[in-house]
Amino acid sequence: MPSFDIVSEVDIHEVNNAVEQANREIGTRFDFKGVSATFAKADDNEIRVTAEVDFQLSQMMEIFRAKLVKRNVDIKSLKEGEVTQSGKTASLLVKIQQGIEADLAKKLVKQIKERKMKVQVSIQGEKLRVTGKKRDDLQDVIAFLRNINLDLPLQFNNFRD
């Protein structure tokens, strides 16, 4: 039986490259001369953005988004936290969403079942496995999921015939 997986993955190596490029650009920009503004990896899936004022943080995020788009990383996977002001620095924690959360997975399964498509959908950790008798049914599911407006980028991989 044909099957495929629905996943939400971000290439962390590309994100690291975008962080380095954004740091380089901030170092050369005129409006950031003499300002201590940096991007730093806080965790595997977290980036800490620091600057002197919150206005500079918004400018830095625009630079970072542009670098991610150039590296084919979907910016829907970014989840920005609250701006925290401490002393002379403002900081922002940006999380990179990896995987499909359980509640979103259940919602997607429910939407596919409501459309009465001839497929079976199972939740397997942070991904969904879709199986069906015909390849066309699977392609209908992919088309349906691409038309749904989600806050999370979806990829379809591991297609088996």
Side-chain angles (χ1 to χ4, degrees):
M1 287 180 72
S3 68
F4 71 92
D5 293 336
I6 303 169
V7 295
S8 178
E9 296 174 343
V10 176
D11 188 2
I12 296 297
H13 184 68
E14 292 295 335
V15 173
N16 291 340
N17 289 339
V19 166
E20 291 172 14
Q21 284 182 343
N23 273 329
R24 257 185 265 131
E25 182 172 334
I26 286 172
T28 61
R29 280 186 47 160
F30 179 76
D31 53 345
F32 284 100
K33 290 283 185 204
V35 176
S36 63
T38 58
F39 292 95
K41 287 260 308 167
D43 218 3
D44 262 355
N45 295 330
E46 292 181 344
I47 298 165
R48 182 168 301 281
V49 184
T50 56
E52 291 180 358
V53 291
D54 58 348
F55 173 71
Q56 291 171 338
L57 289 177
S58 62
Q59 288 180 323
M60 291 172 68
M61 284 306 297
E62 288 300 316
I63 293 169
F64 185 55
R65 285 188 200 100
K67 298 299 179 189
L68 287 174
V69 168
K70 283 183 183 177
R71 299 200 148 271
N72 294 326
V73 176
D74 199 337
I75 59 173
K76 287 184 194 175
S77 62
L78 297 180
K79 190 172 186 179
E80 297 180 26
E82 293 292 318
V83 175
T84 56
Q85 190 82 26
S86 63
K88 290 186 177 182
T89 61
S91 64
L92 172 69
L93 192 64
V94 179
K95 292 187 179 187
I96 301 163
Q97 297 178 343
Q98 294 271 51
I100 301 173
E101 295 175 0
D103 57 340
L104 180 62
K106 290 177 186 176
K107 182 178 138 185
L108 289 175
V109 170
K110 183 179 177 184
Q111 287 180 345
I112 291 171
K113 287 185 178 183
E114 284 175 353
R115 301 261 311 183
K116 297 192 171 133
M117 296 182 174
K118 299 176 183 175
V119 295
Q120 292 79 38
V121 184
S122 61
I123 301 172
Q124 296 182 341
E126 293 185 337
K127 65 182 179 179
L128 297 174
R129 167 83 36 98
V130 180
T131 58
K133 291 183 180 176
K134 295 181 185 174
R135 183 181 215 168
D136 292 341
D137 296 336
L138 299 180
Q139 290 173 342
D140 290 341
V141 172
I142 292 174
F144 170 67
L145 291 174
R146 285 198 173 139
N147 290 332
I148 293 178
N149 190 15
L150 295 174
D151 294 337
L152 192 65
L154 296 178
Q155 294 91 30
F156 309 100
N157 62 14
N158 203 14
F159 195 92
R160 305 226 185 262
D161 222 357

